Amino acid sequence: MPAAADELPSTGRGRRPPRPSGDDRELAILTTAERLLAERPLGAISVDDLARGAGISRPTFYFYFSSKDAVLLSLLDRVVEEADTAMREAFGSPATGARDGWARAIGAYYDTFRAHRPLTVAWAQARSTSDEVRGLWSAVFERWVQQSTAAIDAERARGAAPAGLPARDLAVALTSMNERVLYATFSGDGPAVAEADVVEVLLGIWLSAVYGAAIPD
Amino acid sequence: MPAAADELPSTGRGRRPPRPSGDDRELAILTTAERLLAERPLGAISVDDLARGAGISRPTFYFYFSSKDAVLLSLLDRVVEEADTAMREAFGSPATGARDGWARAIGAYYDTFRAHRPLTVAWAQARSTSDEVRGLWSAVFERWVQQSTAAIDAERARGAAPAGLPARDLAVALTSMNERVLYATFSGDGPAVAEADVVEVLLGIWLSAVYGAAIPD
DNA sequence: GCAGTCCTCGACACCCTGTTGACTCGTTCG
DNA sequence: CGAACGAGTCAACAGGGTGTCGAGGACTGC
């Protein structure tokens, strides 16, 4: 439906751009992708679907994006930015207590990806098929692990948490858990934790893993 | 290279079966699949590759299997059986202590899937694209969760573990962690725990999550 | 030596991806 | 003003994958 754009003036009054220009099309592809992703998995969406949804032909699609994956990557860039910001805020702001600090971090992770549920699910799926998607996820994951590792080390340094398993190994395993559990909850396939309880469950496990014998608060 | 089979007598001496029969072909497809899976991901293997590897044409492949996924499923059935057996043994046999019991269970999981590393990796990937593969995994996962839930409840009943999060939620989250961490370790993409340490790390987290304040042994 | 079953594959119909080359249409600049 | 240019567009093509169909070939039992 490319007709709707006709009456929108680009700078002043009056109909002017009978042919919507570059950025519009690119945006149309992006929003089409997001819309379709909410309906069906990435593998069931063809380049043609994306092109038709954006009101252009398939070859024209390739003028804007080099592949279907490139569209996904473009969509994901925004989410990555959000996720990183949320993570930095969660780990950066002063916590009123240990439990509270971890709750904020896990909550940030949960909130960000829940806000982009279909995209998150597609992301996990495309990791199997695209090196770039996989790499992007690894980078996000790695940053999360680093923050967590640092936080665990800090707790140990101030005597709040006992020494035990290497902090990084703990962080990798627990972050993996977050990822997998949240994915199962969001995608709905297979056994999962109820969405209402998932943050509490994850938090409980993080706390017992990090603080071992002495769970504060 | 279908020529090599000619000199193999089927029951007695002398060359007899110039045309290898049904079961041979089916097996050849299966072993070809396993061999190729060790080299490249499932998505990079075509039905034609499988057929050629087994010395037959593509249409003939379809005489034996209805699709590439069906081959994978067939391969996975064996692994599922092994995994279930190992799991039942691990949970069924009397443990000398709490730590020991959980160590055995996690070790069984690890050993089984490590023994079929390429298949395990392919399994996780195919979950995104095939309902049947996904269902098969869900079933395995569910059985593991049920065993774990029962074991946690038993520990709580005998007073060894404190009440806390619902046992099933704990089991789902911790099993998810096992799955994800082991996958990362086996597939080698993204940050992972070193293979030598992975069981110890997972075990440590299970123990602190299940036993909370009082970690036995 | 005929019928039936198992097995095999050439040829086909489709669907999807990514590329090519010609074409349109505003804009810019001599 | 008109030639040249660049952004945008798409029909047509090339190539590779999947799954099916129908015409056989080869043993098996009768």
Side-chain angles (χ1 to χ4, degrees):
Chain A
M1 57 207 69
D6 279 5
E7 288 307 316
L8 298 174
S10 67
T11 52
R13 71 231 130 65
R15 73 233 134 71
R16 280 258 294 309
R19 189 210 289 218
S21 207
D23 291 346
D24 295 323
R25 256 73 204 274
E26 190 169 329
L27 202 70
I29 293 172
L30 256 8
T31 58
T32 300
E34 204 149 14
R35 178 167 53 79
L36 294 183
L37 240 19
E39 293 171 4
R40 48 183 198 265
L42 184 66
I45 299 171
S46 70
V47 170
D48 204 49
D49 294 333
L50 258 19
R52 289 184 183 287
I56 57 179
S57 71
R58 213 165 48 78
T60 300
F61 167 92
Y62 286 101
F63 181 83
Y64 293 102
F65 292 96
S66 62
S67 70
K68 205 168 60 175
D69 283 345
V71 176
L72 181 61
L73 248 358
S74 181
L75 248 17
L76 291 180
D77 276 342
R78 293 191 245 159
V79 180
V80 167
E81 208 160 324
E82 268 183 57
D84 283 349
T85 303
M87 182 191 72
R88 260 186 288 272
E89 276 174 13
F91 278 105
S93 64
T96 63
R99 179 186 195 92
D100 187 60
W102 291 107
R104 199 174 302 181
I106 293 172
Y109 190 117
Y110 169 78
D111 287 339
T112 306
F113 292 111
R114 192 200 35 159
H116 303 279
R117 196 179 304 229
L119 217 43
T120 301
V121 174
W123 196 349
Q125 290 171 348
R127 256 175 0 200
S128 327
T129 57
S130 159
D131 284 352
E132 276 144 322
V133 171
R134 181 165 42 249
L136 188 62
W137 175 258
S138 289
V140 171
F141 188 95
E142 176 61 27
R143 287 194 282 276
W144 179 273
V145 166
Q146 278 171 10
Q147 294 282 343
S148 302
T149 304
I152 293 170
D153 281 335
E155 289 295 86
R156 288 180 176 176
R158 74 177 181 91
L165 295 167
R168 185 182 161 92
D169 285 346
L170 220 46
V172 168
L174 292 170
T175 303
S176 297
M177 173 180 74
N178 285 6
E179 180 202 316
R180 185 71 185 96
V181 169
L182 256 14
Y183 173 80
T185 299
F186 290 156
S187 72
D189 26 82
V193 178
E195 189 153 350
D197 304 329
V198 70
V199 171
E200 189 191 354
V201 171
L202 295 176
L203 177 59
I205 295 172
W206 275 74
L207 291 176
S208 45
V210 171
Y211 296 99
I215 297 176
D217 290 10
Chain B
M1 54 211 73
D6 279 6
E7 289 307 313
L8 297 176
S10 67
T11 53
R13 72 230 130 59
R15 70 237 136 68
R16 279 259 294 309
R19 190 212 286 219
S21 206
D23 291 347
D24 295 323
R25 257 72 205 276
E26 190 170 329
L27 201 70
I29 293 172
L30 256 8
T31 58
T32 300
E34 204 149 13
R35 178 169 52 79
L36 294 183
L37 240 18
E39 294 171 4
R40 46 183 198 267
L42 184 66
I45 299 172
S46 68
V47 169
D48 205 48
D49 294 333
L50 258 20
R52 289 184 181 286
I56 56 178
S57 71
R58 211 164 51 75
T60 300
F61 166 93
Y62 286 102
F63 181 82
Y64 293 102
F65 293 96
S66 63
S67 70
K68 205 168 59 173
D69 284 344
V71 176
L72 181 62
L73 248 359
S74 180
L75 248 17
L76 292 180
D77 276 341
R78 294 190 246 161
V79 180
V80 167
E81 208 160 326
E82 267 183 58
D84 283 349
T85 302
M87 182 192 72
R88 261 186 287 271
E89 276 172 15
F91 277 105
S93 64
T96 64
R99 180 188 192 93
D100 188 60
W102 291 108
R104 200 173 300 179
I106 293 172
Y109 190 118
Y110 169 77
D111 288 339
T112 306
F113 291 111
R114 192 201 35 159
H116 303 279
R117 197 181 304 229
L119 217 43
T120 301
V121 174
W123 195 350
Q125 289 172 349
R127 257 178 358 204
S128 326
T129 57
S130 158
D131 284 351
E132 276 145 324
V133 170
R134 181 165 40 250
L136 188 62
W137 176 257
S138 289
V140 171
F141 188 95
E142 176 62 28
R143 287 193 283 277
W144 180 272
V145 166
Q146 277 169 10
Q147 295 283 342
S148 303
T149 303
I152 294 170
D153 281 335
E155 289 295 87
R156 287 180 177 177
R158 75 176 180 92
L165 295 167
R168 185 181 161 91
D169 285 346
L170 219 45
V172 168
L174 292 169
T175 303
S176 297
M177 172 181 74
N178 285 6
E179 179 201 316
R180 186 71 186 98
V181 169
L182 255 15
Y183 173 79
T185 299
F186 290 156
S187 73
D189 27 82
V193 178
E195 190 154 349
D197 305 328
V198 71
V199 171
E200 189 191 353
V201 170
L202 295 176
L203 178 59
I205 295 173
W206 276 73
L207 291 176
S208 45
V210 171
Y211 297 99
I215 298 175
D217 291 7

PDB file of all heavy atoms in Angstrom, chain B residues 63-92:
ATOM      1  N   PHE B  63      13.213 -42.564  -1.094  1.00  0.00           N
ATOM      2  CA  PHE B  63      12.613 -43.870  -0.852  1.00  0.00           C
ATOM      3  C   PHE B  63      12.857 -44.296   0.594  1.00  0.00           C
ATOM      4  O   PHE B  63      12.045 -44.983   1.208  1.00  0.00           O
ATOM      5  CB  PHE B  63      13.188 -44.893  -1.815  1.00  0.00           C
ATOM      6  CG  PHE B  63      12.601 -46.257  -1.641  1.00  0.00           C
ATOM      7  CD1 PHE B  63      11.391 -46.585  -2.227  1.00  0.00           C
ATOM      8  CD2 PHE B  63      13.250 -47.200  -0.859  1.00  0.00           C
ATOM      9  CE1 PHE B  63      10.836 -47.844  -2.045  1.00  0.00           C
ATOM     10  CE2 PHE B  63      12.695 -48.458  -0.672  1.00  0.00           C
ATOM     11  CZ  PHE B  63      11.489 -48.778  -1.264  1.00  0.00           C
ATOM     12  N   TYR B  64      13.976 -43.852   1.148  1.00  0.00           N
ATOM     13  CA  TYR B  64      14.353 -44.270   2.495  1.00  0.00           C
ATOM     14  C   TYR B  64      13.949 -43.299   3.592  1.00  0.00           C
ATOM     15  O   TYR B  64      13.608 -43.705   4.689  1.00  0.00           O
ATOM     16  CB  TYR B  64      15.866 -44.528   2.552  1.00  0.00           C
ATOM     17  CG  TYR B  64      16.268 -45.705   1.715  1.00  0.00           C
ATOM     18  CD1 TYR B  64      16.856 -45.540   0.474  1.00  0.00           C
ATOM     19  CD2 TYR B  64      16.014 -46.993   2.157  1.00  0.00           C
ATOM     20  CE1 TYR B  64      17.201 -46.632  -0.309  1.00  0.00           C
ATOM     21  CE2 TYR B  64      16.355 -48.092   1.381  1.00  0.00           C
ATOM     22  CZ  TYR B  64      16.937 -47.903   0.150  1.00  0.00           C
ATOM     23  OH  TYR B  64      17.256 -48.978  -0.611  1.00  0.00           O
ATOM     24  N   PHE B  65      14.042 -42.022   3.276  1.00  0.00           N
ATOM     25  CA  PHE B  65      13.676 -41.013   4.280  1.00  0.00           C
ATOM     26  C   PHE B  65      12.813 -39.946   3.624  1.00  0.00           C
ATOM     27  O   PHE B  65      13.016 -39.623   2.453  1.00  0.00           O
ATOM     28  CB  PHE B  65      14.921 -40.360   4.877  1.00  0.00           C
ATOM     29  CG  PHE B  65      15.751 -41.292   5.706  1.00  0.00           C
ATOM     30  CD1 PHE B  65      16.838 -41.947   5.159  1.00  0.00           C
ATOM     31  CD2 PHE B  65      15.432 -41.516   7.042  1.00  0.00           C
ATOM     32  CE1 PHE B  65      17.599 -42.820   5.924  1.00  0.00           C
ATOM     33  CE2 PHE B  65      16.192 -42.380   7.807  1.00  0.00           C
ATOM     34  CZ  PHE B  65      17.283 -43.037   7.249  1.00  0.00           C
ATOM     35  N   SER B  66      11.912 -39.405   4.394  1.00  0.00           N
ATOM     36  CA  SER B  66      10.994 -38.440   3.803  1.00  0.00           C
ATOM     37  C   SER B  66      11.613 -37.050   3.697  1.00  0.00           C
ATOM     38  O   SER B  66      11.093 -36.187   2.994  1.00  0.00           O
ATOM     39  CB  SER B  66       9.707 -38.385   4.616  1.00  0.00           C
ATOM     40  OG  SER B  66       9.990 -37.942   5.914  1.00  0.00           O
ATOM     41  N   SER B  67      12.703 -36.830   4.391  1.00  0.00           N
ATOM     42  CA  SER B  67      13.367 -35.521   4.321  1.00  0.00           C
ATOM     43  C   SER B  67      14.690 -35.587   5.070  1.00  0.00           C
ATOM     44  O   SER B  67      15.000 -36.588   5.720  1.00  0.00           O
ATOM     45  CB  SER B  67      12.504 -34.433   4.943  1.00  0.00           C
ATOM     46  OG  SER B  67      12.461 -34.629   6.342  1.00  0.00           O
ATOM     47  N   LYS B  68      15.436 -34.514   4.981  1.00  0.00           N
ATOM     48  CA  LYS B  68      16.694 -34.407   5.711  1.00  0.00           C
ATOM     49  C   LYS B  68      16.428 -34.480   7.211  1.00  0.00           C
ATOM     50  O   LYS B  68      17.162 -35.135   7.949  1.00  0.00           O
ATOM     51  CB  LYS B  68      17.343 -33.064   5.352  1.00  0.00           C
ATOM     52  CG  LYS B  68      18.817 -32.990   5.500  1.00  0.00           C
ATOM     53  CD  LYS B  68      19.369 -31.717   4.832  1.00  0.00           C
ATOM     54  CE  LYS B  68      18.780 -30.457   5.428  1.00  0.00           C
ATOM     55  NZ  LYS B  68      19.442 -29.226   4.885  1.00  0.00           N
ATOM     56  N   ASP B  69      15.374 -33.815   7.640  1.00  0.00           N
ATOM     57  CA  ASP B  69      15.035 -33.829   9.060  1.00  0.00           C
ATOM     58  C   ASP B  69      14.763 -35.238   9.564  1.00  0.00           C
ATOM     59  O   ASP B  69      15.088 -35.574  10.701  1.00  0.00           O
ATOM     60  CB  ASP B  69      13.801 -32.964   9.320  1.00  0.00           C
ATOM     61  CG  ASP B  69      14.138 -31.483   9.291  1.00  0.00           C
ATOM     62  OD1 ASP B  69      15.337 -31.150   9.383  1.00  0.00           O
ATOM     63  OD2 ASP B  69      13.213 -30.667   9.174  1.00  0.00           O
ATOM     64  N   ALA B  70      14.149 -36.056   8.707  1.00  0.00           N
ATOM     65  CA  ALA B  70      13.831 -37.419   9.132  1.00  0.00           C
ATOM     66  C   ALA B  70      15.112 -38.195   9.428  1.00  0.00           C
ATOM     67  O   ALA B  70      15.150 -39.018  10.343  1.00  0.00           O
ATOM     68  CB  ALA B  70      13.015 -38.126   8.067  1.00  0.00           C
ATOM     69  N   VAL B  71      16.158 -37.929   8.659  1.00  0.00           N
ATOM     70  CA  VAL B  71      17.443 -38.576   8.914  1.00  0.00           C
ATOM     71  C   VAL B  71      17.973 -38.151  10.277  1.00  0.00           C
ATOM     72  O   VAL B  71      18.381 -38.984  11.093  1.00  0.00           O
ATOM     73  CB  VAL B  71      18.472 -38.204   7.822  1.00  0.00           C
ATOM     74  CG1 VAL B  71      19.831 -38.803   8.151  1.00  0.00           C
ATOM     75  CG2 VAL B  71      17.997 -38.672   6.460  1.00  0.00           C
ATOM     76  N   LEU B  72      17.922 -36.847  10.504  1.00  0.00           N
ATOM     77  CA  LEU B  72      18.398 -36.342  11.792  1.00  0.00           C
ATOM     78  C   LEU B  72      17.611 -36.970  12.933  1.00  0.00           C
ATOM     79  O   LEU B  72      18.181 -37.445  13.917  1.00  0.00           O
ATOM     80  CB  LEU B  72      18.258 -34.814  11.823  1.00  0.00           C
ATOM     81  CG  LEU B  72      18.746 -34.149  13.105  1.00  0.00           C
ATOM     82  CD1 LEU B  72      20.226 -34.397  13.323  1.00  0.00           C
ATOM     83  CD2 LEU B  72      18.467 -32.649  13.071  1.00  0.00           C
ATOM     84  N   LEU B  73      16.322 -36.991  12.780  1.00  0.00           N
ATOM     85  CA  LEU B  73      15.460 -37.567  13.807  1.00  0.00           C
ATOM     86  C   LEU B  73      15.844 -39.011  14.092  1.00  0.00           C
ATOM     87  O   LEU B  73      15.891 -39.452  15.242  1.00  0.00           O
ATOM     88  CB  LEU B  73      14.010 -37.510  13.331  1.00  0.00           C
ATOM     89  CG  LEU B  73      12.953 -36.607  13.998  1.00  0.00           C
ATOM     90  CD1 LEU B  73      13.487 -35.829  15.172  1.00  0.00           C
ATOM     91  CD2 LEU B  73      12.296 -35.716  12.989  1.00  0.00           C
ATOM     92  N   SER B  74      16.117 -39.737  13.025  1.00  0.00           N
ATOM     93  CA  SER B  74      16.474 -41.141  13.174  1.00  0.00           C
ATOM     94  C   SER B  74      17.775 -41.280  13.961  1.00  0.00           C
ATOM     95  O   SER B  74      17.907 -42.128  14.845  1.00  0.00           O
ATOM     96  CB  SER B  74      16.603 -41.762  11.790  1.00  0.00           C
ATOM     97  OG  SER B  74      16.950 -43.108  11.879  1.00  0.00           O
ATOM     98  N   LEU B  75      18.717 -40.414  13.635  1.00  0.00           N
ATOM     99  CA  LEU B  75      19.987 -40.398  14.358  1.00  0.00           C
ATOM    100  C   LEU B  75      19.756 -40.030  15.834  1.00  0.00           C
ATOM    101  O   LEU B  75      20.362 -40.605  16.747  1.00  0.00           O
ATOM    102  CB  LEU B  75      20.887 -39.345  13.714  1.00  0.00           C
ATOM    103  CG  LEU B  75      22.160 -39.676  12.938  1.00  0.00           C
ATOM    104  CD1 LEU B  75      22.238 -41.115  12.509  1.00  0.00           C
ATOM    105  CD2 LEU B  75      22.301 -38.743  11.748  1.00  0.00           C
ATOM    106  N   LEU B  76      18.869 -39.076  16.030  1.00  0.00           N
ATOM    107  CA  LEU B  76      18.649 -38.590  17.384  1.00  0.00           C
ATOM    108  C   LEU B  76      17.953 -39.624  18.265  1.00  0.00           C
ATOM    109  O   LEU B  76      18.180 -39.654  19.471  1.00  0.00           O
ATOM    110  CB  LEU B  76      17.818 -37.300  17.346  1.00  0.00           C
ATOM    111  CG  LEU B  76      18.537 -36.094  16.744  1.00  0.00           C
ATOM    112  CD1 LEU B  76      17.640 -34.873  16.763  1.00  0.00           C
ATOM    113  CD2 LEU B  76      19.824 -35.805  17.493  1.00  0.00           C
ATOM    114  N   ASP B  77      17.125 -40.445  17.651  1.00  0.00           N
ATOM    115  CA  ASP B  77      16.423 -41.455  18.447  1.00  0.00           C
ATOM    116  C   ASP B  77      17.381 -42.290  19.279  1.00  0.00           C
ATOM    117  O   ASP B  77      17.124 -42.559  20.447  1.00  0.00           O
ATOM    118  CB  ASP B  77      15.584 -42.364  17.534  1.00  0.00           C
ATOM    119  CG  ASP B  77      14.233 -41.741  17.220  1.00  0.00           C
ATOM    120  OD1 ASP B  77      13.812 -40.827  17.961  1.00  0.00           O
ATOM    121  OD2 ASP B  77      13.598 -42.155  16.231  1.00  0.00           O
ATOM    122  N   ARG B  78      18.481 -42.674  18.630  1.00  0.00           N
ATOM    123  CA  ARG B  78      19.473 -43.465  19.372  1.00  0.00           C
ATOM    124  C   ARG B  78      20.026 -42.681  20.553  1.00  0.00           C
ATOM    125  O   ARG B  78      20.148 -43.192  21.667  1.00  0.00           O
ATOM    126  CB  ARG B  78      20.649 -43.821  18.455  1.00  0.00           C
ATOM    127  CG  ARG B  78      20.289 -44.759  17.323  1.00  0.00           C
ATOM    128  CD  ARG B  78      21.575 -45.230  16.663  1.00  0.00           C
ATOM    129  NE  ARG B  78      21.724 -44.762  15.300  1.00  0.00           N
ATOM    130  CZ  ARG B  78      22.884 -44.721  14.640  1.00  0.00           C
ATOM    131  NH1 ARG B  78      24.008 -45.074  15.245  1.00  0.00           N
ATOM    132  NH2 ARG B  78      22.934 -44.314  13.393  1.00  0.00           N
ATOM    133  N   VAL B  79      20.371 -41.406  20.292  1.00  0.00           N
ATOM    134  CA  VAL B  79      20.948 -40.590  21.350  1.00  0.00           C
ATOM    135  C   VAL B  79      19.947 -40.393  22.481  1.00  0.00           C
ATOM    136  O   VAL B  79      20.303 -40.436  23.664  1.00  0.00           O
ATOM    137  CB  VAL B  79      21.395 -39.220  20.795  1.00  0.00           C
ATOM    138  CG1 VAL B  79      21.993 -38.375  21.901  1.00  0.00           C
ATOM    139  CG2 VAL B  79      22.394 -39.414  19.677  1.00  0.00           C
ATOM    140  N   VAL B  80      18.697 -40.204  22.110  1.00  0.00           N
ATOM    141  CA  VAL B  80      17.667 -40.008  23.125  1.00  0.00           C
ATOM    142  C   VAL B  80      17.591 -41.221  24.033  1.00  0.00           C
ATOM    143  O   VAL B  80      17.525 -41.099  25.260  1.00  0.00           O
ATOM    144  CB  VAL B  80      16.291 -39.763  22.469  1.00  0.00           C
ATOM    145  CG1 VAL B  80      15.181 -39.867  23.501  1.00  0.00           C
ATOM    146  CG2 VAL B  80      16.268 -38.395  21.805  1.00  0.00           C
ATOM    147  N   GLU B  81      17.641 -42.387  23.419  1.00  0.00           N
ATOM    148  CA  GLU B  81      17.561 -43.602  24.214  1.00  0.00           C
ATOM    149  C   GLU B  81      18.737 -43.682  25.193  1.00  0.00           C
ATOM    150  O   GLU B  81      18.557 -43.927  26.377  1.00  0.00           O
ATOM    151  CB  GLU B  81      17.567 -44.806  23.278  1.00  0.00           C
ATOM    152  CG  GLU B  81      16.838 -46.010  23.855  1.00  0.00           C
ATOM    153  CD  GLU B  81      16.431 -46.979  22.742  1.00  0.00           C
ATOM    154  OE1 GLU B  81      16.104 -46.492  21.625  1.00  0.00           O
ATOM    155  OE2 GLU B  81      16.468 -48.190  22.981  1.00  0.00           O
ATOM    156  N   GLU B  82      19.913 -43.438  24.654  1.00  0.00           N
ATOM    157  CA  GLU B  82      21.104 -43.420  25.515  1.00  0.00           C
ATOM    158  C   GLU B  82      20.967 -42.414  26.650  1.00  0.00           C
ATOM    159  O   GLU B  82      21.267 -42.700  27.802  1.00  0.00           O
ATOM    160  CB  GLU B  82      22.333 -42.996  24.689  1.00  0.00           C
ATOM    161  CG  GLU B  82      23.118 -44.134  24.102  1.00  0.00           C
ATOM    162  CD  GLU B  82      24.339 -43.592  23.388  1.00  0.00           C
ATOM    163  OE1 GLU B  82      25.172 -42.908  24.020  1.00  0.00           O
ATOM    164  OE2 GLU B  82      24.458 -43.824  22.153  1.00  0.00           O
ATOM    165  N   ALA B  83      20.512 -41.228  26.280  1.00  0.00           N
ATOM    166  CA  ALA B  83      20.421 -40.164  27.277  1.00  0.00           C
ATOM    167  C   ALA B  83      19.429 -40.534  28.369  1.00  0.00           C
ATOM    168  O   ALA B  83      19.688 -40.340  29.563  1.00  0.00           O
ATOM    169  CB  ALA B  83      20.007 -38.854  26.611  1.00  0.00           C
ATOM    170  N   ASP B  84      18.304 -41.092  27.959  1.00  0.00           N
ATOM    171  CA  ASP B  84      17.296 -41.461  28.946  1.00  0.00           C
ATOM    172  C   ASP B  84      17.795 -42.569  29.875  1.00  0.00           C
ATOM    173  O   ASP B  84      17.587 -42.519  31.084  1.00  0.00           O
ATOM    174  CB  ASP B  84      16.008 -41.918  28.245  1.00  0.00           C
ATOM    175  CG  ASP B  84      15.221 -40.731  27.715  1.00  0.00           C
ATOM    176  OD1 ASP B  84      15.562 -39.590  28.079  1.00  0.00           O
ATOM    177  OD2 ASP B  84      14.260 -40.936  26.947  1.00  0.00           O
ATOM    178  N   THR B  85      18.473 -43.521  29.266  1.00  0.00           N
ATOM    179  CA  THR B  85      19.013 -44.609  30.082  1.00  0.00           C
ATOM    180  C   THR B  85      20.023 -44.072  31.090  1.00  0.00           C
ATOM    181  O   THR B  85      19.957 -44.380  32.285  1.00  0.00           O
ATOM    182  CB  THR B  85      19.704 -45.655  29.179  1.00  0.00           C
ATOM    183  OG1 THR B  85      18.753 -46.126  28.234  1.00  0.00           O
ATOM    184  CG2 THR B  85      20.231 -46.810  30.002  1.00  0.00           C
ATOM    185  N   ALA B  86      20.930 -43.249  30.591  1.00  0.00           N
ATOM    186  CA  ALA B  86      21.954 -42.688  31.471  1.00  0.00           C
ATOM    187  C   ALA B  86      21.312 -41.876  32.589  1.00  0.00           C
ATOM    188  O   ALA B  86      21.720 -41.943  33.754  1.00  0.00           O
ATOM    189  CB  ALA B  86      22.918 -41.824  30.665  1.00  0.00           C
ATOM    190  N   MET B  87      20.287 -41.127  32.214  1.00  0.00           N
ATOM    191  CA  MET B  87      19.623 -40.292  33.213  1.00  0.00           C
ATOM    192  C   MET B  87      18.950 -41.143  34.287  1.00  0.00           C
ATOM    193  O   MET B  87      19.092 -40.885  35.478  1.00  0.00           O
ATOM    194  CB  MET B  87      18.588 -39.405  32.530  1.00  0.00           C
ATOM    195  CG  MET B  87      17.889 -38.471  33.480  1.00  0.00           C
ATOM    196  SD  MET B  87      16.459 -37.699  32.690  1.00  0.00           S
ATOM    197  CE  MET B  87      15.331 -39.086  32.600  1.00  0.00           C
ATOM    198  N   ARG B  88      18.242 -42.172  33.839  1.00  0.00           N
ATOM    199  CA  ARG B  88      17.542 -43.016  34.811  1.00  0.00           C
ATOM    200  C   ARG B  88      18.525 -43.713  35.746  1.00  0.00           C
ATOM    201  O   ARG B  88      18.286 -43.810  36.955  1.00  0.00           O
ATOM    202  CB  ARG B  88      16.671 -44.040  34.092  1.00  0.00           C
ATOM    203  CG  ARG B  88      15.211 -43.594  34.044  1.00  0.00           C
ATOM    204  CD  ARG B  88      14.329 -44.690  33.461  1.00  0.00           C
ATOM    205  NE  ARG B  88      14.541 -44.815  32.024  1.00  0.00           N
ATOM    206  CZ  ARG B  88      13.848 -44.106  31.111  1.00  0.00           C
ATOM    207  NH1 ARG B  88      12.928 -43.243  31.503  1.00  0.00           N
ATOM    208  NH2 ARG B  88      14.084 -44.251  29.836  1.00  0.00           N
ATOM    209  N   GLU B  89      19.624 -44.174  35.175  1.00  0.00           N
ATOM    210  CA  GLU B  89      20.636 -44.801  36.023  1.00  0.00           C
ATOM    211  C   GLU B  89      21.190 -43.820  37.045  1.00  0.00           C
ATOM    212  O   GLU B  89      21.355 -44.135  38.210  1.00  0.00           O
ATOM    213  CB  GLU B  89      21.788 -45.342  35.175  1.00  0.00           C
ATOM    214  CG  GLU B  89      21.521 -46.727  34.611  1.00  0.00           C
ATOM    215  CD  GLU B  89      22.604 -47.141  33.633  1.00  0.00           C
ATOM    216  OE1 GLU B  89      23.681 -46.506  33.607  1.00  0.00           O
ATOM    217  OE2 GLU B  89      22.362 -48.092  32.866  1.00  0.00           O
ATOM    218  N   ALA B  90      21.468 -42.624  36.555  1.00  0.00           N
ATOM    219  CA  ALA B  90      22.069 -41.632  37.442  1.00  0.00           C
ATOM    220  C   ALA B  90      21.127 -41.282  38.583  1.00  0.00           C
ATOM    221  O   ALA B  90      21.532 -41.181  39.741  1.00  0.00           O
ATOM    222  CB  ALA B  90      22.440 -40.383  36.659  1.00  0.00           C
ATOM    223  N   PHE B  91      19.861 -41.090  38.267  1.00  0.00           N
ATOM    224  CA  PHE B  91      18.916 -40.715  39.316  1.00  0.00           C
ATOM    225  C   PHE B  91      18.462 -41.919  40.128  1.00  0.00           C
ATOM    226  O   PHE B  91      18.048 -41.785  41.270  1.00  0.00           O
ATOM    227  CB  PHE B  91      17.687 -40.012  38.708  1.00  0.00           C
ATOM    228  CG  PHE B  91      17.900 -38.561  38.441  1.00  0.00           C
ATOM    229  CD1 PHE B  91      18.096 -38.102  37.143  1.00  0.00           C
ATOM    230  CD2 PHE B  91      17.929 -37.640  39.475  1.00  0.00           C
ATOM    231  CE1 PHE B  91      18.300 -36.753  36.885  1.00  0.00           C
ATOM    232  CE2 PHE B  91      18.125 -36.297  39.224  1.00  0.00           C
ATOM    233  CZ  PHE B  91      18.310 -35.848  37.921  1.00  0.00           C
ATOM    234  N   GLY B  92      18.533 -43.107  39.513  1.00  0.00           N
ATOM    235  CA  GLY B  92      18.013 -44.291  40.176  1.00  0.00           C
ATOM    236  C   GLY B  92      18.965 -44.920  41.169  1.00  0.00           C
ATOM    237  O   GLY B  92      18.560 -45.375  42.235  1.00  0.00           O
TER     238      GLY B  92
END
